[in-house]
Amino acid sequence: MQQDPTPEQEWELETLAIRAGHQRTHEQEHGEPIFPTSSFVYGSAAEAAAKFSGEAPGNVYSRFTNPTVRTFEQRLAAMEGGERCVATSSGMAAILATALALLASGDEIVASRSLFGSTVSLFDKYLGKFGITTRYVELSNLEAWEAAVTPATKLLFAETPSNPLSEVVDIAALARIARRHDAWLAIDNCFLTPALQKPIALGADLVIHSATKYLDGQGRAIGGAVVGRDKELEEVFGVVRTCGPCLSPFNAWIFTKGLETLNLRMRAHCENARILAEWLEGHPAVARVHYSGLATHPQHELASQQQQGYGAVLGFEVKGGREAAWSVIDATRMLSITGNLGDVKTTITHPGTTTHGRLSEEQKEAAGISEALIRVAVGLEAMEDIRADLARGLDALV
């Protein structure tokens, strides 16, 4: 007999973002509670034994499970369309836990060249020490992905759109490559979030998040998450439980509240980013704008097909190299000069010397990180003020 769908299975994304995952306590609270406790108590030795062994459900220790963290995990899993979510202490911890859970010495990763600098360092410097090899390919080149896969390849890893050039890969096509070679496909969905892109629906096995970014939305806390099938996520959970990169209850509560406004914020971010990208494209001091929402972007059509929006992060190259780029950044008076993104406050940085500064010159060149490149994560301030702040430096270059 077919079971009736649960309310959560019938809800739209906006409702899931506000309602999913919260199981009210006996206090019948309306808002999600915070459980800032390291441990939990039991009515008897037998109950403790049953919970520690896994024979009975329940909390054991907040490094393992915590009710506040569980609410965030269940809500994000519902929004991404995954069976399960495991929260971590940071976005990098989410990537590390995934790699430790699924890979062993001798395994290989095929990844996009245009990854966040710390992800490249993790793959090359640390996973490489334990015999896990990574090959890098052009993000949008499916033939290059196919050619790079070997019998030892176990994981395909991509950020789409990329940071900071807004490059896009066909997720469904990449998923087919992964399936043909019996490998997992992990998509970093940090820039778009489930409000704008659903990698699992397109065939991805795993979705990675830096919750620090748009899931929070206000730059308040550090955290990460992995979403996917229960089978793989049980292994990821084992890493978090044993190695300890767990999410704090307070940060989980912040992210849960951030999810409530995610859809509204992402739509507003996208609109501001589109207006700014179009303005930058017409400025005489700007040589090139990288934003998939522009019709001139090489993957604009693909982005329009698999995304419900183009995100808020854009890159643009100024005429005059690093000196000109730094002068534009230094001329700002409102924009925040910081490497972080995903905030309601607009941020600006020079990727070549900050977020991607640890890459070699060869790696930067391969990833398209030029000295003239500036990244802006467009916030929710008045567009007139954002443009005026950038114009101060750009106009001086003309």
Side-chain angles (χ1 to χ4, degrees):
M1 181 177 178
Q2 187 175 7
Q3 293 184 331
D4 292 334
T6 64
E8 289 189 8
Q9 290 173 321
E10 296 181 333
W11 287 341
E12 298 294 331
L13 179 78
E14 295 87 344
T15 307
L16 291 171
I18 294 171
R19 297 282 184 176
H22 179 200
Q23 303 297 322
R24 290 193 178 95
T25 72
H26 66 281
E27 300 289 354
Q28 290 298 297
E29 71 282 347
H30 191 222
E32 297 82 356
I34 307 175
F35 289 87
T37 180
S38 59
S39 60
F40 304 86
V41 298
Y42 313 99
S44 66
E47 181 187 353
K51 290 185 177 179
F52 267 78
S53 68
E55 294 177 6
N59 297 302
V60 174
Y61 188 55
S62 278
R63 175 161 53 84
F64 296 10
T65 60
N66 177 280
T68 311
V69 176
R70 184 165 57 248
T71 296
F72 167 66
E73 291 174 332
Q74 291 178 348
R75 185 167 296 182
L76 183 58
M79 293 174 69
E80 283 284 9
E83 293 178 0
R84 184 175 179 181
C85 170
V86 173
T88 60
S89 56
S90 69
M92 290 308 304
I95 299 172
L96 175 62
T98 299
L100 293 178
L102 303 181
L103 304 176
S105 181
D107 289 343
E108 295 178 353
I109 302 169
V110 178
S112 161
R113 286 194 185 116
S114 48
L115 291 179
F116 177 49
S118 292
T119 305
V120 175
S121 296
L122 170 63
F123 287 174
D124 290 350
K125 184 176 180 180
Y126 296 103
L127 295 185
K129 286 166 55 174
F130 299 98
I132 297 170
T133 303
T134 304
R135 290 186 176 85
Y136 296 96
V137 299
E138 183 183 351
L139 176 63
S140 60
N141 189 339
L142 294 172
E143 292 181 356
W145 284 93
E146 184 81 59
V149 174
T150 75
T153 302
K154 296 295 186 291
L155 177 66
L156 275 59
F157 190 98
E159 296 176 13
T160 180
S162 69
N163 174 16
L165 301 184
S166 198
E167 296 172 294
V168 178
V169 69
D170 186 330
I171 296 175
L174 197 55
R176 290 192 290 271
I177 293 174
R179 284 195 295 272
R180 279 199 300 274
H181 295 279
D182 196 25
W184 291 288
L185 172 60
I187 296 294
D188 188 323
N189 202 28
C190 170
F191 276 25
L192 294 185
T193 80
L196 302 178
Q197 180 171 263
K198 298 285 191 67
I200 291 174
L202 295 169
D205 300 291
L206 301 157
V207 175
I208 307 290
H209 277 286
S210 171
T212 312
K213 310 303 191 294
Y214 292 103
L215 299 190
D216 172 17
Q218 296 187 46
R220 298 168 293 189
I222 301 290
V226 187
V227 182
R229 292 183 296 262
D230 187 70
K231 179 181 178 182
E232 287 82 13
L233 268 293
E234 180 62 25
E235 296 300 317
V236 176
F237 171 67
V239 173
V240 174
R241 178 187 60 205
T242 304
C243 301
C246 55
L247 182 64
S248 77
F250 182 73
N251 286 5
W253 180 81
I254 287 177
F255 298 143
T256 300
K257 304 311 289 183
L259 290 177
E260 294 180 349
T261 60
L262 179 64
N263 190 61
L264 292 172
R265 285 187 286 105
M266 293 309 295
R267 303 295 169 184
H269 277 296
C270 288
E271 178 63 11
N272 267 4
R274 179 191 62 79
I275 295 170
L276 184 64
E278 291 174 351
W279 175 75
L280 286 168
E281 199 170 39
H283 197 286
V286 175
R288 186 178 181 186
V289 180
H290 303 273
Y291 184 64
S292 63
L294 293 173
T296 53
H297 190 279
Q299 287 101 41
H300 174 69
E301 184 176 348
L302 173 61
S304 301
Q305 291 170 357
Q306 72 180 19
Q307 302 170 192
Q308 289 73 56
Y310 304 103
V313 179
L314 59 85
F316 65 97
E317 297 175 57
V318 295
K319 299 171 182 176
R322 181 195 288 193
E323 183 178 352
W326 280 18
S327 71
V328 171
I329 294 169
D330 291 347
T332 60
R333 296 294 178 266
M334 180 189 75
L335 274 58
S336 303
I337 304 175
T338 177
N340 197 30
L341 56 91
D343 203 313
V344 294
K345 300 180 179 72
T346 300
T347 65
I348 188 169
T349 195
H350 183 253
T353 51
T354 59
T355 58
H356 295 69
R358 292 186 179 181
L359 300 183
S360 68
E361 293 305 314
E362 293 77 14
Q363 288 174 318
K364 290 179 189 177
E365 183 178 358
I369 307 299
S370 74
E371 290 294 299
L373 182 66
I374 296 171
R375 188 192 73 190
V376 174
V378 187
L380 301 184
E381 303 96 340
M383 179 47 58
E384 293 79 2
D385 295 329
I386 298 173
R387 277 191 304 221
D389 210 32
L390 282 169
R392 184 178 291 108
L394 287 172
D395 291 349
L397 298 179
V398 180

